[in-house]
Amino acid sequence: HIGKVTQNIQPIAADERMAAILEVEEASPVLRILRCYFDQKGRIFEISVSHHPGDRFAYAMHIDVEA
């Protein structure tokens, strides 16, 4: 079971390989998303890294606040 997920979103410049895969110009802005999945005891069990062209990405967030 997932205990928590951390997410880091960072802008980077596309290198030659990434630009070809994403069909963008080399050095174009790309968002790198690093996610770490932790179990309920705080141990990492999965890490994912994804890259998204800056002009084809939307980020939405929902925060529940308990009283």
Side-chain angles (χ1 to χ4, degrees):
H1 295 285
I2 297 174
K4 73 175 179 179
V5 179
T6 61
Q7 180 171 267
N8 180 297
I9 301 173
Q10 180 179 18
I12 63 170
D15 62 19
E16 182 180 356
R17 180 177 174 271
M18 188 182 310
I21 292 169
L22 297 176
E23 300 178 352
V24 298
E25 295 290 323
E26 190 172 346
S28 292
V30 172
L31 293 174
R32 177 176 58 199
I33 301 176
L34 170 67
R35 290 187 185 101
C36 297
Y37 297 82
F38 297 82
D39 66 16
Q40 293 175 339
K41 293 186 178 182
R43 299 174 298 206
I44 292 178
F45 68 88
E46 185 170 338
I47 296 174
S48 70
V49 180
S50 57
H51 297 89
H52 304 272
D55 64 345
R56 291 182 280 175
F57 182 81
Y59 179 75
M61 193 164 115
H62 177 93
I63 299 173
D64 289 321
V65 180
E66 295 183 31

Coordinates of all heavy atoms in Angstrom, one line a residue:
H1 N 0.8 -1.2 0.0 CA 0.0 0.0 0.0 C 0.9 1.2 0.0 O 1.9 1.3 0.7 CB -0.9 0.0 1.2 CG -1.9 -1.1 1.2 ND1 -3.0 -1.1 0.4 CD2 -2.0 -2.2 1.9 CE1 -3.7 -2.2 0.6 NE2 -3.1 -2.9 1.5
I2 N 0.4 2.2 -0.7 CA 1.2 3.5 -0.8 C 0.9 4.3 0.5 O -0.2 4.5 0.9 CB 0.7 4.3 -2.0 CG1 1.1 3.6 -3.3 CG2 1.4 5.7 -2.0 CD1 0.6 4.3 -4.5
G3 N 2.0 4.7 1.2 CA 1.9 5.6 2.4 C 1.9 7.1 2.0 O 1.2 7.9 2.5
K4 N 2.8 7.4 1.1 CA 2.9 8.8 0.6 C 3.6 8.8 -0.8 O 4.3 7.8 -1.1 CB 3.5 9.7 1.6 CG 5.0 9.6 1.7 CD 5.6 10.6 2.6 CE 7.1 10.4 2.7 NZ 7.8 11.4 3.6
V5 N 3.5 9.9 -1.5 CA 4.2 10.1 -2.7 C 4.7 11.5 -2.7 O 4.0 12.5 -2.3 CB 3.2 10.0 -4.0 CG1 4.0 10.2 -5.2 CG2 2.5 8.6 -4.0
T6 N 6.0 11.6 -3.0 CA 6.6 13.0 -3.2 C 6.8 13.2 -4.7 O 7.0 12.3 -5.5 CB 8.0 13.1 -2.5 OG1 8.9 12.2 -3.0 CG2 7.8 12.9 -1.0
Q7 N 6.7 14.5 -5.0 CA 6.8 14.8 -6.5 C 7.6 16.1 -6.6 O 7.4 17.1 -5.9 CB 5.4 15.1 -7.0 CG 5.3 15.4 -8.5 CD 3.9 15.4 -9.0 OE1 3.5 14.4 -9.5 NE2 3.2 16.5 -8.8
N8 N 8.6 16.1 -7.5 CA 9.4 17.2 -7.7 C 9.3 17.5 -9.2 O 9.5 16.7 -10.1 CB 10.9 16.9 -7.4 CG 11.8 18.0 -7.6 OD1 12.0 18.4 -8.8 ND2 12.4 18.5 -6.6
I9 N 8.9 18.8 -9.5 CA 8.7 19.2 -10.9 C 9.8 20.3 -11.2 O 9.9 21.3 -10.4 CB 7.3 19.8 -11.2 CG1 6.3 18.7 -10.9 CG2 7.2 20.3 -12.6 CD1 4.8 19.2 -11.0
Q10 N 10.6 20.0 -12.2 CA 11.7 20.9 -12.4 C 11.9 21.2 -13.9 O 11.8 20.3 -14.7 CB 13.0 20.3 -11.9 CG 14.3 21.1 -12.2 CD 15.5 20.4 -11.6 OE1 15.5 19.2 -11.4 NE2 16.5 21.1 -11.4
P11 N 12.0 22.5 -14.3 CA 12.2 22.8 -15.7 C 13.7 22.5 -16.1 O 14.6 22.8 -15.4 CB 11.9 24.3 -15.8 CG 12.3 24.8 -14.5 CD 11.9 23.7 -13.5
I12 N 13.8 21.8 -17.3 CA 15.2 21.6 -17.8 C 15.2 21.8 -19.3 O 14.1 22.0 -19.9 CB 15.6 20.1 -17.5 CG1 14.7 19.1 -18.2 CG2 15.7 19.9 -16.0 CD1 15.2 17.7 -18.1
A13 N 16.3 21.8 -19.9 CA 16.4 22.0 -21.4 C 16.5 20.6 -22.0 O 17.3 19.7 -21.5 CB 17.7 22.8 -21.7
A14 N 15.8 20.3 -23.1 CA 15.8 19.0 -23.7 C 17.2 18.8 -24.4 O 17.7 19.6 -25.1 CB 14.7 19.0 -24.8
D15 N 17.7 17.6 -24.1 CA 19.0 17.3 -24.8 C 18.6 16.7 -26.2 O 17.4 16.6 -26.5 CB 19.8 16.3 -24.0 CG 19.1 15.0 -23.7 OD1 18.2 14.6 -24.3 OD2 19.6 14.3 -22.7
E16 N 19.6 16.3 -26.9 CA 19.3 15.8 -28.3 C 18.3 14.6 -28.3 O 17.4 14.6 -29.1 CB 20.6 15.5 -29.0 CG 20.5 15.0 -30.4 CD 21.8 14.7 -31.1 OE1 22.9 14.8 -30.4 OE2 21.8 14.2 -32.2
R17 N 18.6 13.6 -27.5 CA 17.8 12.4 -27.5 C 16.3 12.7 -27.0 O 15.4 12.3 -27.6 CB 18.4 11.4 -26.5 CG 17.6 10.1 -26.4 CD 18.4 9.1 -25.5 NE 17.6 7.9 -25.3 CZ 16.7 7.8 -24.3 NH1 16.5 8.7 -23.4 NH2 16.0 6.6 -24.2
M18 N 16.2 13.5 -25.9 CA 14.9 13.8 -25.4 C 14.1 14.6 -26.4 O 12.9 14.4 -26.6 CB 15.0 14.6 -24.1 CG 13.7 14.8 -23.4 SD 14.0 15.8 -21.9 CE 15.3 14.9 -21.1
A19 N 14.8 15.6 -27.1 CA 14.1 16.4 -28.1 C 13.5 15.6 -29.2 O 12.4 15.8 -29.7 CB 15.1 17.5 -28.6
A20 N 14.3 14.6 -29.6 CA 13.8 13.7 -30.7 C 12.6 12.9 -30.3 O 11.6 12.8 -31.0 CB 15.0 12.8 -31.1
I21 N 12.7 12.4 -29.1 CA 11.5 11.6 -28.5 C 10.3 12.4 -28.4 O 9.2 12.0 -28.7 CB 11.9 10.9 -27.2 CG1 13.0 9.8 -27.4 CG2 10.7 10.3 -26.5 CD1 13.6 9.3 -26.2
L22 N 10.4 13.6 -27.9 CA 9.3 14.5 -27.6 C 8.9 15.3 -28.8 O 7.9 16.1 -28.7 CB 9.6 15.4 -26.4 CG 9.8 14.7 -25.1 CD1 10.2 15.7 -24.0 CD2 8.6 13.9 -24.6
E23 N 9.7 15.3 -29.9 CA 9.4 16.0 -31.1 C 9.4 17.5 -30.8 O 8.5 18.2 -31.2 CB 8.1 15.6 -31.7 CG 8.1 14.1 -32.1 CD 6.8 13.6 -32.7 OE1 5.8 14.3 -32.7 OE2 6.8 12.5 -33.2
V24 N 10.5 18.0 -30.2 CA 10.7 19.4 -29.9 C 12.1 19.7 -30.3 O 12.9 18.9 -30.6 CB 10.5 19.8 -28.4 CG1 9.0 19.5 -28.0 CG2 11.4 19.0 -27.5
E25 N 12.4 21.0 -30.4 CA 13.8 21.5 -30.7 C 14.7 21.2 -29.5 O 14.3 21.2 -28.3 CB 13.8 23.0 -31.0 CG 13.0 23.4 -32.2 CD 13.6 23.0 -33.5 OE1 14.9 23.0 -33.6 OE2 12.9 22.6 -34.4
E26 N 15.9 20.9 -29.8 CA 16.9 20.7 -28.8 C 17.0 22.0 -27.9 O 16.9 23.1 -28.5 CB 18.3 20.3 -29.4 CG 19.3 19.9 -28.4 CD 20.6 19.4 -29.0 OE1 20.6 19.1 -30.2 OE2 21.6 19.3 -28.3
A27 N 17.2 21.8 -26.6 CA 17.3 22.9 -25.7 C 15.9 23.6 -25.4 O 15.8 24.5 -24.6 CB 18.3 24.0 -26.1
S28 N 14.8 23.0 -25.9 CA 13.5 23.5 -25.6 C 13.2 23.2 -24.1 O 13.7 22.3 -23.5 CB 12.4 22.8 -26.4 OG 12.5 23.1 -27.8
P29 N 12.3 24.1 -23.5 CA 12.0 23.8 -22.1 C 11.1 22.5 -22.0 O 10.2 22.3 -22.7 CB 11.2 25.1 -21.7 CG 10.7 25.7 -23.0 CD 11.7 25.3 -24.0
V30 N 11.5 21.7 -21.0 CA 10.8 20.5 -20.7 C 10.7 20.4 -19.2 O 11.5 20.9 -18.4 CB 11.7 19.3 -21.2 CG1 11.1 18.0 -20.7 CG2 11.8 19.3 -22.7
L31 N 9.6 19.9 -18.8 CA 9.3 19.6 -17.3 C 9.7 18.2 -17.0 O 9.2 17.3 -17.6 CB 7.9 19.9 -17.0 CG 7.5 21.4 -17.1 CD1 6.0 21.5 -16.8 CD2 8.3 22.3 -16.1
R32 N 10.6 18.1 -16.0 CA 11.0 16.7 -15.5 C 10.2 16.5 -14.2 O 10.3 17.3 -13.3 CB 12.5 16.6 -15.3 CG 12.9 15.3 -14.7 CD 14.3 15.1 -14.5 NE 14.9 16.1 -13.7 CZ 16.1 16.5 -13.6 NH1 17.0 15.9 -14.4 NH2 16.6 17.4 -12.8
I33 N 9.5 15.4 -14.2 CA 8.7 15.1 -13.0 C 9.3 13.8 -12.3 O 9.4 12.8 -13.0 CB 7.2 14.9 -13.3 CG1 6.7 16.1 -13.9 CG2 6.5 14.5 -12.0 CD1 5.2 16.0 -14.4
L34 N 9.8 14.0 -11.1 CA 10.4 12.9 -10.3 C 9.4 12.5 -9.2 O 9.1 13.4 -8.4 CB 11.7 13.3 -9.7 CG 12.3 12.3 -8.7 CD1 12.7 11.0 -9.4 CD2 13.5 12.9 -8.1
R35 N 8.9 11.3 -9.2 CA 8.0 10.9 -8.2 C 8.6 9.7 -7.4 O 9.2 8.8 -8.0 CB 6.7 10.4 -8.8 CG 5.8 11.5 -9.4 CD 4.5 11.0 -9.8 NE 3.7 12.0 -10.5 CZ 3.6 12.1 -11.8 NH1 4.1 11.2 -12.6 NH2 2.9 13.1 -12.3
C36 N 8.5 9.8 -6.1 CA 9.0 8.7 -5.2 C 7.8 8.2 -4.4 O 7.0 9.0 -3.8 CB 10.0 9.3 -4.2 SG 11.5 9.9 -5.0
Y37 N 7.6 6.9 -4.5 CA 6.5 6.2 -3.8 C 7.0 5.5 -2.6 O 7.9 4.7 -2.7 CB 5.8 5.2 -4.8 CG 5.2 5.9 -6.0 CD1 6.0 6.2 -7.1 CD2 3.9 6.2 -6.1 CE1 5.5 6.8 -8.2 CE2 3.3 6.8 -7.2 CZ 4.1 7.1 -8.3 OH 3.6 7.6 -9.4
F38 N 6.4 5.8 -1.5 CA 6.8 5.2 -0.2 C 5.7 4.3 0.3 O 4.5 4.6 0.2 CB 7.0 6.3 0.8 CG 8.1 7.3 0.5 CD1 7.9 8.3 -0.4 CD2 9.4 7.1 1.1 CE1 8.9 9.2 -0.7 CE2 10.4 8.0 0.7 CZ 10.2 9.0 -0.1
D39 N 6.1 3.3 1.0 CA 5.1 2.4 1.7 C 4.7 3.0 3.0 O 5.2 4.1 3.3 CB 5.6 1.0 1.8 CG 6.8 0.8 2.8 OD1 7.1 1.7 3.6 OD2 7.4 -0.2 2.8
Q40 N 3.9 2.4 3.7 CA 3.3 2.9 5.0 C 4.4 3.0 6.1 O 4.2 3.7 7.1 CB 2.1 2.2 5.4 CG 0.9 2.4 4.5 CD -0.3 1.5 4.8 OE1 -0.2 0.5 5.5 NE2 -1.4 1.9 4.3
K41 N 5.5 2.4 5.9 CA 6.6 2.4 6.9 C 7.7 3.4 6.4 O 8.8 3.5 7.0 CB 7.3 1.1 7.1 CG 6.3 0.1 7.7 CD 7.0 -1.2 8.0 CE 6.0 -2.2 8.8 NZ 6.7 -3.4 9.1
G42 N 7.4 4.2 5.4 CA 8.4 5.2 4.9 C 9.5 4.7 4.0 O 10.4 5.5 3.7
R43 N 9.4 3.5 3.5 CA 10.4 2.9 2.6 C 10.0 3.2 1.1 O 8.9 3.0 0.7 CB 10.5 1.5 2.8 CG 11.0 1.1 4.2 CD 11.0 -0.4 4.4 NE 9.6 -0.9 4.3 CZ 9.2 -2.0 4.9 NH1 10.0 -2.7 5.6 NH2 7.9 -2.4 4.7
I44 N 11.0 3.7 0.3 CA 10.7 3.9 -1.1 C 10.6 2.5 -1.8 O 11.4 1.6 -1.6 CB 11.9 4.7 -1.8 CG1 11.9 6.1 -1.3 CG2 11.7 4.6 -3.3 CD1 13.0 6.9 -1.8
F45 N 9.5 2.4 -2.6 CA 9.4 1.1 -3.3 C 9.3 1.3 -4.8 O 9.4 0.4 -5.6 CB 8.2 0.3 -2.8 CG 6.9 0.8 -3.1 CD1 6.2 0.6 -4.3 CD2 6.2 1.6 -2.1 CE1 4.9 1.1 -4.5 CE2 5.0 2.1 -2.3 CZ 4.3 1.9 -3.5
E46 N 9.2 2.6 -5.2 CA 9.2 2.9 -6.7 C 9.6 4.3 -6.9 O 9.2 5.2 -6.1 CB 7.8 2.6 -7.3 CG 7.8 2.8 -8.8 CD 6.4 2.3 -9.4 OE1 5.8 1.4 -8.7 OE2 6.1 2.7 -10.5
I47 N 10.3 4.6 -8.0 CA 10.7 5.9 -8.4 C 10.3 6.0 -9.9 O 10.6 5.1 -10.7 CB 12.2 6.2 -8.2 CG1 12.5 6.2 -6.7 CG2 12.5 7.5 -8.8 CD1 14.0 6.3 -6.4
S48 N 9.7 7.1 -10.3 CA 9.4 7.3 -11.7 C 9.9 8.7 -12.1 O 9.9 9.6 -11.3 CB 7.9 7.2 -12.0 OG 7.2 8.3 -11.5
V49 N 10.4 8.8 -13.3 CA 10.9 10.0 -13.9 C 10.2 10.2 -15.3 O 10.2 9.2 -16.1 CB 12.4 10.1 -14.1 CG1 12.8 11.4 -14.7 CG2 13.1 9.8 -12.8
S50 N 9.5 11.3 -15.5 CA 8.9 11.5 -16.8 C 9.2 12.9 -17.3 O 9.6 13.8 -16.5 CB 7.4 11.3 -16.7 OG 6.8 12.2 -15.7
H51 N 9.2 13.1 -18.6 CA 9.5 14.4 -19.2 C 8.4 14.8 -20.1 O 7.9 14.0 -20.8 CB 10.8 14.3 -20.0 CG 12.0 13.9 -19.2 ND1 12.4 12.6 -18.9 CD2 12.9 14.7 -18.5 CE1 13.4 12.6 -18.2 NE2 13.8 13.8 -17.9
H52 N 8.0 16.1 -20.0 CA 6.9 16.7 -20.7 C 7.3 18.0 -21.4 O 7.9 18.8 -20.7 CB 5.7 16.9 -19.8 CG 5.3 15.7 -19.0 ND1 4.4 14.8 -19.5 CD2 5.7 15.2 -17.8 CE1 4.2 13.8 -18.7 NE2 5.0 14.0 -17.6
P53 N 7.0 18.2 -22.7 CA 7.2 19.5 -23.3 C 6.5 20.5 -22.5 O 5.3 20.4 -22.1 CB 6.7 19.3 -24.7 CG 6.6 17.8 -24.9 CD 6.4 17.2 -23.6
G54 N 7.2 21.7 -22.3 CA 6.6 22.7 -21.5 C 5.3 23.3 -22.0 O 4.4 23.7 -21.3
D55 N 5.1 23.2 -23.4 CA 3.8 23.8 -23.9 C 2.7 22.7 -24.1 O 1.7 23.0 -24.6 CB 4.1 24.4 -25.3 CG 4.6 23.4 -26.3 OD1 5.0 22.3 -26.0 OD2 4.6 23.7 -27.5
R56 N 3.0 21.5 -23.6 CA 2.0 20.5 -23.7 C 1.8 19.8 -22.3 O 1.7 18.6 -22.2 CB 2.3 19.4 -24.7 CG 2.3 19.9 -26.1 CD 2.6 18.9 -27.1 NE 4.1 18.7 -27.2 CZ 4.7 17.8 -27.9 NH1 4.0 16.9 -28.5 NH2 6.0 17.7 -27.9
F57 N 1.7 20.6 -21.3 CA 1.6 20.0 -19.9 C 0.7 20.9 -19.1 O 0.8 22.1 -19.1 CB 3.0 19.9 -19.3 CG 3.0 19.3 -17.9 CD1 2.9 17.9 -17.7 CD2 3.0 20.1 -16.8 CE1 2.9 17.3 -16.5 CE2 2.9 19.5 -15.5 CZ 2.9 18.2 -15.4
A58 N -0.1 20.3 -18.3 CA -1.0 21.0 -17.4 C -0.8 20.4 -16.0 O -0.8 19.1 -16.0 CB -2.4 21.0 -17.8
Y59 N -0.8 21.1 -15.0 CA -0.7 20.6 -13.7 C -1.9 21.1 -12.8 O -2.2 22.2 -12.8 CB 0.6 21.1 -13.0 CG 0.9 20.6 -11.6 CD1 1.3 19.3 -11.4 CD2 0.7 21.5 -10.5 CE1 1.5 18.9 -10.1 CE2 0.9 21.0 -9.2 CZ 1.3 19.7 -9.0 OH 1.4 19.2 -7.8
A60 N -2.5 20.1 -12.2 CA -3.7 20.4 -11.3 C -3.4 19.8 -10.0 O -2.8 18.7 -9.9 CB -5.0 19.9 -11.9
M61 N -3.9 20.4 -8.9 CA -3.7 19.9 -7.6 C -4.9 20.1 -6.8 O -5.6 21.1 -6.9 CB -2.5 20.7 -7.0 CG -1.9 20.1 -5.8 SD -0.3 20.9 -5.5 CE -0.7 21.7 -4.0
H62 N -5.2 19.1 -5.9 CA -6.3 19.1 -5.0 C -5.8 19.0 -3.6 O -5.1 18.0 -3.3 CB -7.3 18.0 -5.4 CG -8.5 18.0 -4.5 ND1 -9.7 18.6 -4.7 CD2 -8.6 17.3 -3.3 CE1 -10.5 18.4 -3.7 NE2 -9.9 17.6 -2.8
I63 N -6.1 19.8 -2.7 CA -5.7 19.7 -1.3 C -6.9 19.7 -0.4 O -7.7 20.6 -0.4 CB -4.8 21.0 -1.0 CG1 -3.6 21.0 -1.9 CG2 -4.4 20.9 0.5 CD1 -2.7 22.2 -1.7
D64 N -7.0 18.7 0.4 CA -8.0 18.6 1.4 C -7.4 19.1 2.7 O -6.4 18.7 3.1 CB -8.5 17.1 1.6 CG -9.3 16.6 0.4 OD1 -10.1 17.4 -0.1 OD2 -9.1 15.5 0.1
V65 N -8.1 20.0 3.3 CA -7.7 20.6 4.6 C -8.7 20.2 5.7 O -9.9 20.5 5.6 CB -7.6 22.1 4.5 CG1 -7.2 22.7 5.9 CG2 -6.7 22.6 3.4
E66 N -8.2 19.5 6.7 CA -9.1 19.1 7.8 C -9.1 20.1 8.9 O -8.1 20.7 9.2 CB -8.6 17.7 8.3 CG -8.7 16.6 7.3 CD -8.3 15.3 7.9 OE1 -8.5 15.1 9.1 OE2 -7.8 14.4 7.1
A67 N -10.3 20.3 9.4 CA -10.4 21.3 10.5 C -9.8 20.8 11.8 O -9.7 19.7 12.1 CB -11.9 21.7 10.6

